[in-house]
Amino acid sequence: RKTTTFRTVNLSSSNEDQEQKNENQEEEKKELNVKDITEMIDTTFVNACMQLSKGYVDVLKLFIVSVKSGYELGITPIELIKNVDSVSTKAAGRDLMGEEIELRNTWIELIYFILNDTNWESKDLQSISIDKEIISSFQSELLRLRKQKEDGVETFNEIDNSSTKQIDDPIKSAIFTQSLRVIWYTLVVLEEEERCQTDFARQDAPMKPQIPGAFS
């Protein structure tokens, strides 16, 4: 008598894996809210300033990403600044001084200007207006730094700043110089994100046959 043997497949582990995958996907879909974004901006600004004094830019890039998140949600720069001002627990352990607030606000407005200039996606692009003083102060610098990047300049320290305008006021001059870094690293952040999106798109693309003519 011939006996037929059936193989039992345990689906519990595969189901658990699928559930975990679904949970991860749902987690990825959750958007940062305004409170999350403003707290990150407050924290990363203080730490970015401390790092810049030592020559590091990692936290500055996190600050840029945080501001970019606000832009993508359609929050206006004025609204974003007001919310950052209202953060209850300040990362600095105190209220910022006037020149520190001016530097932070300049950076926020500047990042918005760059995102708007590059047509970066936003949920409410129509409501976002860019400060005219920021445009007049930094438009030529944005074009200059973008051109140098396209010409192959790889780091901020390699940039030719010989044509940069001279500012007599020491505070204004410091804000302007640091803002050039923000322009450069905002371009870097956007370039890195676009590169990642391209890489993910390649991973999702159908695999090509390894044997020539196998599927032709």
Side-chain angles (χ1 to χ4, degrees), residues 41-54:
I41 290 172
D42 179 65
T43 300
T44 53
F45 171 73
V46 172
N47 287 287
C49 291
M50 293 171 65
Q51 271 206 348
L52 282 175
S53 65
K54 300 175 182 178

Side-chain angles (χ1 to χ4, degrees), residues 79-98:
E79 180 185 357
L80 189 62
I81 289 168
K82 285 181 179 178
N83 279 282
V84 176
D85 284 336
S86 66
V87 170
S88 55
T89 306
K90 308 291 186 184
R94 57 169 174 78
D95 289 335
L96 297 181
M97 295 184 290

Side-chain angles (χ1 to χ4, degrees), residues 67-85:
V67 174
K68 182 171 73 68
S69 297
Y71 178 92
E72 291 169 342
L73 284 181
I75 307 169
T76 66
I78 294 175
E79 180 185 357
L80 189 62
I81 289 168
K82 285 181 179 178
N83 279 282
V84 176
D85 284 336

